[in-house]
C-alpha cells in the first residue's frame, strides 16, 4: 500500500504492441499549510533508452563473466595436459641420454639436451601463464596481511639465487595491508628476483621500503642493477615483453605482467623509475586497512 504522505519513485514497464517502454514515475504529495496531504503531483519520464542500455550492460557483464570462467577452466585443463606431455617428453629424452649415451654421438646427445631444455622452458611458461590466468579481479580473499612477514617468505624462497649472486637485501619497516597473502608473496618474489637477476658487474643490493600516502601504502623495491631505458618503462609490464635476450637472462617475460595484475586487483598501481646502467626502483601501492606498521627490521639472507 502506497503511503501518500511520502515521495515515491519507481520504474514501470509498459508493453505497447510488441514494443516495450519504461517510464519513471515520480509521485510527490502536495500538502496544505497544516501539513495535510491534499493531493498528489506526478511526473512521468520516458527512460526507455536508459533502461535498455542498462539491460544490455547487465547482459554483457554476465556474458563476460561466463566467458572468463570458461577461459579459466580451459586454462586449467590445458595447462595440466600440457604439463603432463612436456614432462613425458623431458623424462624420456633424459632416459635415452642415460641408457643410450654410449650408442649416440656427440651431436645426437646435444640434440637431446636441446629437447630437454626446450621442454623445461615450456613447462615454466605454462606454469607462469596459469599463475597469470588465476589472478582475478574479485576481492573475496582480501584479508589483513603483514607484508613484512610475507616479504621474508619471498626472500627465503630466493635463498639459492642470493647465494649464487652474493646479493644483499635490506627490508625496512613494512605495513599491514589488505591483500591475498599468496599473491603478495608472488609480487615480492618477482620484484626481488628480478632485482637480483638483472644485475651488472657490481654485487646486487636490494632495498625494500614502504611509506603511507593517504589511504594507501607506497612500496619501493630499489636495486643497483642494469637499469631500464626510459622508453621501456611501461613496456616492461606487458606480457611476453622482453628487453634482454633469453641467452643472457633466461625467463618467460611474464613476471612483471603478473605483478601488475596483482597490484591492479587491489585498485593499486605499479610503475618503475630507472636510470639505465645505474639501477631501478619499482613502486607499487596497496590499500591500508589502518595506519599500522610492523617494527623496523633490517635483514640480509
Amino acid at each position: 500500500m502506497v503511503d501518500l504522505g511520502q515521495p515515491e519513485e519507481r520504474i514501470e514497464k509498459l508493453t505497447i504492441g510488441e514494443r516495450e517502454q519504461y517510464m519513471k514515475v515520480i509521485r510527490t504529495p502536495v500538502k496544505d499549510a497544516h501539513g495535510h496531504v491534499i493531493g498528489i503531483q506526478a511526473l512521468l519520464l520516458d527512460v526507455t533508452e536508459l533502461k535498455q542500455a542498462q539491460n544490455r550492460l547487465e547482459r554483457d557483464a554476465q556474458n563476460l563473466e561466463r566467458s572468463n570462467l570458461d577461459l579459466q577452466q580451459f586454462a586449467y585443463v590445458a595447462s595440466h595436459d600440457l604439463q603432463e606431455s612436456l614432462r613425458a617428453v623431458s623424462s624420456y629424452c633424459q632416459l635415452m641420454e642415460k641408457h643410450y649415451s654410449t650408442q649416440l654421438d656427440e651431436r645426437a646427445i646435444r640434440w637431446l639436451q636441446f629437447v630437454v631444455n626446450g621442454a623445461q622452458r615450456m613447462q615454466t611458461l605454462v606454469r607462469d601463464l596459469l599463475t597469470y590466468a588465476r589472478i582475478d579481479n574479485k576481492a573475496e580473499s582480501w584479508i589483513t596481511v603483514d607484508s613484512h612477514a610475507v616479504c621474508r617468505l619471498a626472500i627465503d624462497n630466493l635463498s639459492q639465487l642470493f647465494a649464487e649472486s652474493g646479493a644483499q637485501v635490506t627490508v625496512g619497516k613494512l605495513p599491514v595491508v589488505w591483500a591475498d597473502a599468496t599473491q603478495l608473496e608472488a609480487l615480492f618474489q618477482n620484484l626481488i628476483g628480478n632485482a637480483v637477476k638483472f644485475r651488472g658487474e657490481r654485487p646486487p643490493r636490494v632495498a625494500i621500503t614502504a611509506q603511507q600516502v593517504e589511504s594507501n601504502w607506497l612500496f619501493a623495491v630499489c636495486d643497483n642493477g642494469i637499469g631500464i631505458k626510459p622508453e621501456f618503462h611501461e613496456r616492461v609490464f606487458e606480457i611476453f615483453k622482453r628487453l634482454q635476450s633469453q641467452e643472457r637472462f633466461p625467463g618467460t617475460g611474464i613476471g612483471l605482467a603478473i605483478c601488475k595484475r596483482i597490484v591492479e586487483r587491489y585498485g593499486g598501481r605499479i610503475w618503475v623509475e630507472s636510470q639505465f646502467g645505474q639501477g631501478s626502483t619499482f613502486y607499487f601501492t596497496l590499500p591500508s586497512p589502518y595506519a599500522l606498521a610492523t617494527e623496523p627490521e633490517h635483514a640480509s639472507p
Side-chain angles (χ1 to χ4, degrees):
M1 184 176 182
V2 178
D3 183 357
L4 297 180
Q6 298 296 326
E8 178 193 14
E9 290 186 13
R10 71 172 186 271
I11 302 293
E12 291 189 356
K13 177 181 176 182
L14 305 176
T15 303
I16 304 174
E18 296 182 354
R19 181 173 178 271
E20 292 182 348
Q21 189 171 3
Y22 294 88
M23 303 296 294
K24 184 175 184 179
V25 182
I26 304 175
R27 290 189 175 94
T28 306
V30 179
K31 301 180 180 181
D32 60 17
H34 302 288
H36 300 135
V37 176
I38 59 175
I40 296 293
Q41 178 178 280
L43 177 65
L44 300 180
L45 299 175
D46 188 345
V47 293
T48 302
E49 292 186 3
L50 179 62
K51 186 64 177 177
Q52 289 174 343
Q54 182 180 350
N55 291 340
R56 286 194 297 270
L57 285 174
E58 290 176 353
R59 288 194 299 269
D60 291 344
Q62 292 173 356
N63 291 335
L64 182 61
E65 184 174 359
R66 283 195 296 269
S67 177
N68 285 338
L69 290 174
D70 291 342
L71 183 60
Q72 287 186 9
Q73 184 63 30
F74 171 78
Y76 300 155
V77 173
S79 66
H80 178 270
D81 293 344
L82 281 172
Q83 289 277 25
E84 289 301 317
S85 299
L86 291 168
R87 191 177 296 112
V89 170
S90 179
S91 297
Y92 280 110
C93 285
Q94 289 173 329
L95 286 173
M96 288 181 63
E97 183 180 4
K98 178 179 179 181
H99 293 288
Y100 298 100
S101 59
T102 57
Q103 302 175 36
L104 299 174
D105 59 21
E106 183 178 345
R107 183 172 62 175
I109 293 176
R110 187 168 65 253
W111 287 352
L112 280 176
Q113 291 173 345
F114 287 155
V115 174
V116 172
N117 292 338
Q120 291 174 343
R121 285 198 300 270
M122 184 63 73
Q123 282 180 297
T124 302
L125 175 61
V126 170
R127 184 172 61 249
D128 288 349
L129 280 172
L130 184 58
T131 300
Y132 184 83
R134 281 176 169 165
I135 303 170
D136 57 32
N137 294 320
K138 297 180 181 178
E140 296 174 354
S141 58
W142 291 23
I143 57 173
T144 54
V145 177
D146 180 356
S147 64
H148 184 275
V150 173
C151 183
R152 291 298 309 177
L153 287 175
I155 291 173
D156 290 342
N157 295 338
L158 296 167
S159 58
Q160 183 175 351
L161 178 61
F162 294 139
E164 294 172 354
S165 63
Q168 292 184 7
V169 181
T170 301
V171 182
K173 182 168 63 174
L174 301 185
V176 171
V177 294
W178 282 116
D180 175 291
T182 301
Q183 291 184 358
L184 184 58
E185 182 179 347
L187 174 62
F188 277 124
Q189 188 165 326
N190 273 300
L191 292 177
I192 298 170
N194 278 355
V196 177
K197 176 181 175 182
F198 295 99
R199 59 185 181 271
E201 299 299 325
R202 297 173 294 178
R205 298 292 182 265
V206 185
I208 301 104
T209 58
Q211 60 178 312
Q212 189 158 19
V213 180
E214 298 180 349
S215 61
N216 292 317
W217 283 99
L218 174 62
F219 289 80
V221 179
C222 181
D223 66 61
N224 64 341
I226 60 175
I228 303 169
K229 294 180 179 179
E231 59 266 31
F232 299 126
H233 284 186
E234 294 185 9
R235 182 182 174 186
V236 293
F237 296 102
E238 298 176 14
I239 193 168
F240 298 132
K241 296 297 183 181
R242 296 180 53 87
L243 305 184
Q244 304 292 336
S245 66
Q246 176 74 30
E247 290 73 21
R248 185 182 179 191
F249 295 105
T252 60
I254 303 179
L256 288 177
I258 290 175
C259 292
K260 182 179 179 181
R261 193 170 172 91
I262 291 173
V263 170
E264 291 182 347
R265 180 191 181 204
Y266 302 103
R269 55 186 291 258
I270 184 170
W271 69 97
V272 62
E273 295 179 4
S274 178
Q275 184 175 356
F276 185 66
Q278 298 298 316
S280 304
T281 300
F282 282 84
Y283 295 96
F284 64 92
T285 60
L286 290 175
S288 169
Y290 39 78
L292 175 65
T294 58
E295 290 298 318
E297 176 180 334
H298 296 274
S300 295

